[in-house]
Amino acid sequence: MEFLDPTICGWDVESNWLIFSDNVFGNFIYYSHLLPVLCSILLVGTLWWQNRYNSTTQALMFMTLMFTAWSFTDLVLWATANPVHTMFFWSIILHFEVLIYVGALYFTNFFVNKRGLSWKQEAFLLTLYLPLIIFSHTTLNLEGFDYTNCNREAVEGPLVGYAYLLEIFIALWILHIGFRYIYRRQNRARYAEVLLGTLGTALFLISFSLGNIIGTIGVDWELGQYGLFGLPLFVALLVYLTIRYNSLNVKLYSAQASILGIFVLVVSLLFVRDAENIRIITLITAPVVLLLGFLLMRSVKREIEQKRIAQELATELAGANVRLERLDKMKSEFVSIASHQLRSPLTSVRGYISMVLEGSYGEINPKAKEVLMHVSDAARHMALSIEDYLNVSRIEAGNMKYDISDVDLSQLTRDIVTEMLPVGEKRGIPITFETRFPGSAVVKLDAGKTRQIVQNLIDNALKYTKDKGTVRVILRKDEAGKQVFIDVADQGIGIDPEGLKALFEKFERAKNASHTNVSGTGLGLYIARMMARAMDGDITAASEGEDKGSVFTIRFPLNGIESKWIHGR
Amino acid sequence: MTLSTLIKGLWIWGVILSLLMCYYVMIHKQDFKIIKNEDGLPILDEE
């Protein structure tokens, strides 16, 4: 193809590396293109170096690469006098421009939603992008090279307008992601993070497109170049947010990036020789150096402060550790004292009283016998209380041992009820046992602990039942045959709703319990529930209110195996 | 391979193909229109 002699327009036909020629009217253009690229590559590159497998970092890297490609292409368009180069680079620049937006969309989605786009969203986006792939080499993109004046311009076709629309659409999509998160989700703790990430990305895109926006509305292509200076700042913001909210290594990174940033800014000033330009550039550079210097100082200050705090904490921790060890030893000693020093003498006290009462040491008068009976009762209560405290201590220390084996719960409950019948008779309260299925239920349990739980509930029911009540013990299973229940129902003093809530807490007793002259540590139900839970079961209580009786239900899983039920005749 | 990877792959190859087409048309074939004034000469900037 025949072209006009470029020297007619006074164009510089020699260009080095495609981007260095006298056609670029000032160093300013290099400064506005190369400096943001260098800063962005340094910032994102350092982040990439340390966290390349992080999706947000990958999206940022993609944006930076596309921006680098765009800057190079744009510089070629400023520098070249060759219409062939102008047409080629002008035709491909659309791709880089739109792909920066696509990268920004991925970044926002990773940053806000912690995941990539769905394949449907990606397919939709690719469909919208398809015209750029198909038509960028055609006259729909560039109608031709304009020789009518000496501006070295291509004439843009409708595809460029379409690309701008696509950019606007993606920008709106990005804003939608951020604001939808804020309006829909309840995680208020992330609002600041999401808002900063979305606005940071939006500002990055506005800063990038400022040249196009101003150029398109016909003001001045040169004015828009100032927007590019904003890019490193917004890239820095996005990098900072990525580090801050992805728990990446901040201190090392920010120190490295700040030093590199200052170095690049200072060294780049050497390449500017025009006095007028240097004034503008210094105006832009000075605040950036100040900001980076401030960040560096803050980083060092924070490092020193954190080191001091860490040392203080380490000293405190060492002291606390010694104190804890001492306390632990004291606790162990206390448990040992409680079990041996208190329980052992009590056992011998009870033994001797029992022998005296049985007449092993000769006849005693009835008055003394009555007194000794009271002493025996008190000693028994004391022994039970000590046992309760020891159990709580074992449960909380995780030292309670469970000997799990196959237990026939039906037989066990029947045995316990039979054993408790004399106690009930003594108080004039009948105990009934009812089983609502034929056969026996075999469950994996600690038989001793289960006996203790059921005995405790029946004993409570007897204690809190008035003279003419009945205690009913019912064994049943749920409809699905996955759980077995033991109900212990009484017609006693009942429990109000407030009391029900705190009933299984340590040292808690129902409010009206003290009216019944029944002594107790308030630990029985707590221990019973903890034991039941340790065996994958639970205990619940229900009552319609005071004086309306109560029902305590023990539940154990049957491991969902129906065959565990051994059916009787 | 997931659908997402497939779409990204198609996209990347699409862009590469498009860049190659631009290279072929604009640089190799130089198949584009030159818009000129009637006399075929550009209007020179008076400066």
Side-chain angles (χ1 to χ4, degrees):
Chain A
M1 184 182 282
E2 285 294 316
F3 297 113
L4 288 181
D5 180 3
T7 52
I8 294 175
C9 289
W11 295 341
D12 177 13
V13 290
E14 298 288 326
S15 65
N16 294 320
W17 303 96
L18 289 172
I19 60 170
F20 297 106
S21 84
D22 288 341
N23 295 325
V24 182
F25 56 80
N27 288 326
F28 170 72
I29 292 296
Y30 292 119
Y31 208 79
S32 73
H33 281 67
L34 295 180
L35 185 67
V37 165
L38 276 173
C39 286
S40 305
I41 289 179
L42 280 174
L43 280 164
V44 181
T46 321
L47 183 66
W48 173 264
W49 186 260
Q50 292 178 5
N51 303 285
R52 73 189 65 180
Y53 300 113
N54 180 288
S55 302
T56 322
T57 309
Q58 288 172 350
L60 265 180
M61 185 46 119
F62 179 75
M63 279 165 75
T64 308
L65 289 178
M66 287 305 110
F67 172 61
T68 306
W70 180 89
S71 289
F72 176 78
T73 312
D74 199 46
L75 268 181
V76 174
L77 293 177
W78 282 101
T80 187
N82 186 341
V84 170
H85 286 165
T86 303
M87 288 302 285
F88 171 66
F89 285 102
W90 204 305
S91 66
I92 64 170
I93 201 164
L94 266 191
H95 281 297
F96 302 134
E97 207 171 296
V98 178
L99 285 175
I100 288 173
Y101 277 77
V102 173
L105 177 65
Y106 270 90
F107 171 82
T108 319
N109 211 44
F110 280 131
F111 189 81
V112 174
N113 297 329
K114 306 281 177 207
R115 59 179 157 80
L117 296 172
S118 70
W119 73 267
K120 284 178 190 164
Q121 286 173 320
E122 282 182 323
F124 173 65
L125 206 58
L126 177 59
T127 315
L128 291 181
Y129 191 88
L130 222 48
L132 298 188
I133 292 175
I134 300 168
F135 300 118
S136 60
H137 66 282
T138 67
T139 51
L140 282 174
N141 183 11
L142 299 181
E143 288 172 1
F145 186 82
D146 190 0
Y147 255 121
T148 55
N149 53 39
C150 286
N151 280 353
R152 293 178 290 121
E153 280 184 356
V155 180
E156 293 177 340
L159 194 69
V160 178
Y162 175 77
Y164 288 160
L165 282 179
L166 191 53
E167 286 170 13
I168 292 169
F169 174 75
I170 296 173
L172 290 176
W173 190 343
I174 288 168
L175 291 176
H176 172 71
I177 289 173
F179 290 113
R180 190 188 57 175
Y181 185 91
I182 289 170
Y183 283 112
R184 280 199 183 171
R185 304 269 178 107
Q186 296 302 311
N187 190 355
R188 284 179 170 273
R190 285 194 70 219
Y191 279 9
E193 171 190 347
V194 168
L195 206 62
L196 277 171
T198 313
L199 290 182
T201 317
L203 284 170
F204 171 88
L205 293 176
I206 290 171
S207 182
F208 168 69
S209 294
L210 202 63
N212 283 337
I213 296 166
I214 293 173
T216 307
I217 58 174
V219 182
D220 187 359
W221 282 103
E222 193 190 332
L223 198 62
Q225 307 303 316
Y226 287 99
L228 296 178
F229 287 112
L231 286 184
L233 291 182
F234 298 124
V235 167
L237 173 67
L238 298 183
V239 167
Y240 169 75
L241 293 173
T242 307
I243 297 165
R244 170 79 176 73
Y245 295 108
N246 284 281
S247 310
L248 306 178
N249 193 345
V250 185
K251 278 180 294 180
L252 180 66
Y253 176 76
S254 62
Q256 285 171 345
S258 304
I259 289 167
L260 284 170
I262 290 172
F263 176 77
V264 169
L265 285 169
V266 172
V267 169
S268 61
L269 281 174
L270 291 173
F271 297 98
V272 184
R273 277 164 292 184
D274 189 324
E276 187 56 37
N277 280 342
I278 207 160
R279 200 169 292 137
I280 301 165
I281 287 160
T282 310
L283 268 175
I284 299 163
T285 312
V288 179
V289 170
L290 202 66
L291 179 74
L292 290 176
F294 171 74
L295 289 175
L296 185 59
M297 277 196 311
R298 205 178 61 165
S299 162
V300 173
K301 195 180 160 194
R302 198 181 289 166
E303 175 107 2
I304 294 167
E305 185 70 6
Q306 280 176 348
K307 202 170 175 181
R308 187 183 62 75
I309 292 170
Q311 273 172 347
E312 279 178 12
L313 282 176
T315 317
E316 259 179 51
L317 210 61
N321 208 20
V322 171
R323 281 198 298 280
L324 272 177
E325 276 174 13
R326 202 182 301 145
L327 278 172
D328 193 47
K329 202 175 164 194
M330 279 167 72
K331 196 179 167 189
S332 303
E333 280 169 3
F334 168 74
V335 173
S336 169
I337 287 167
S339 62
H340 297 292
Q341 309 294 326
L342 291 178
R343 198 167 56 170
S344 308
L346 204 57
T347 310
S348 70
V349 166
R350 289 178 66 196
Y352 280 118
I353 292 172
S354 173
M355 284 162 76
V356 172
L357 283 171
E358 284 165 8
S360 302
Y361 300 100
E363 280 295 312
I364 50 167
N365 66 53
K367 188 71 187 165
K369 195 170 184 176
E370 194 187 328
V371 169
L372 278 177
M373 290 282 275
H374 285 303
V375 173
S376 175
D377 266 355
R380 191 177 63 85
H381 279 299
M382 198 173 169
L384 287 174
S385 298
I386 290 170
E387 197 56 41
D388 277 354
Y389 293 132
L390 283 173
N391 278 336
V392 170
S393 160
R394 283 189 202 113
I395 286 169
E396 290 185 347
N399 290 336
M400 187 66 102
K401 300 269 187 304
Y402 294 87
D403 184 16
I404 305 292
S405 59
D406 282 345
V407 175
D408 181 352
L409 209 53
S410 182
Q411 189 57 47
L412 183 77
T413 317
R414 195 185 298 275
D415 290 349
I416 296 167
V417 170
T418 311
E419 283 164 24
M420 297 292 284
L421 279 176
V423 186
E425 274 169 21
K426 206 169 157 188
R427 295 185 193 180
I429 302 162
I431 309 171
T432 62
F433 175 66
E434 183 187 330
T435 161
R436 295 193 178 163
F437 53 83
S440 49
V442 178
V443 187
K444 283 198 181 302
L445 292 171
D446 179 318
K449 300 282 188 298
T450 312
R451 174 180 285 274
Q452 199 176 328
I453 295 168
V454 180
Q455 265 177 349
N456 182 291
L457 292 190
I458 297 177
D459 196 45
N460 274 351
L462 290 172
K463 275 187 204 166
Y464 296 110
T465 297
K466 289 176 182 171
D467 294 342
K468 285 177 185 171
T470 311
V471 172
R472 293 163 64 216
V473 179
I474 303 157
L475 184 71
R476 61 186 171 88
K477 62 167 178 165
D478 65 346
E479 281 179 12
K482 304 228 167 159
Q483 299 189 91
V484 60
F485 301 93
I486 304 168
D487 295 323
V488 180
D490 65 54
Q491 294 167 321
I493 58 169
I495 310 154
D496 64 9
E498 278 300 306
L500 275 176
K501 282 182 199 164
L503 203 59
F504 292 96
E505 302 290 322
K506 259 189 294 184
F507 303 111
E508 281 291 337
R509 298 180 69 202
K511 275 184 203 163
N512 48 355
S514 52
H515 304 163
T516 54
N517 267 342
V518 174
S519 61
T521 54
L523 291 171
L525 285 177
Y526 169 77
I527 294 168
R529 176 178 260 187
M530 296 309 279
M531 283 179 175
R533 284 186 174 174
M535 294 184 283
D536 290 337
D538 204 356
I539 302 178
T540 50
S543 174
E544 287 178 9
E546 286 191 23
D547 293 324
K548 290 183 178 168
S550 43
V551 181
F552 284 79
T553 303
I554 312 166
R555 171 181 63 78
F556 287 117
L558 277 164
N559 302 327
I561 305 165
E562 188 67 19
S563 61
K564 278 279 178 190
W565 288 88
I566 301 165
H567 294 285
R569 284 161 290 188
Chain B
M1 187 173 64
T2 62
L3 273 171
S4 178
T5 318
L6 179 75
I7 293 166
K8 283 194 191 84
L10 282 174
W11 199 322
I12 290 166
W13 282 110
V15 170
I16 291 171
L17 202 66
S18 178
L19 298 185
L20 287 174
M21 282 302 288
C22 287
Y23 178 85
Y24 179 74
V25 173
M26 306 297 178
I27 292 182
H28 185 73
K29 295 267 285 185
Q30 299 185 2
D31 182 16
F32 54 87
K33 194 174 148 194
I34 300 280
I35 302 157
K36 295 177 188 171
N37 293 312
E38 282 178 6
D39 59 0
L41 292 170
I43 300 161
L44 294 174
D45 194 331
E46 283 182 9
E47 284 177 32

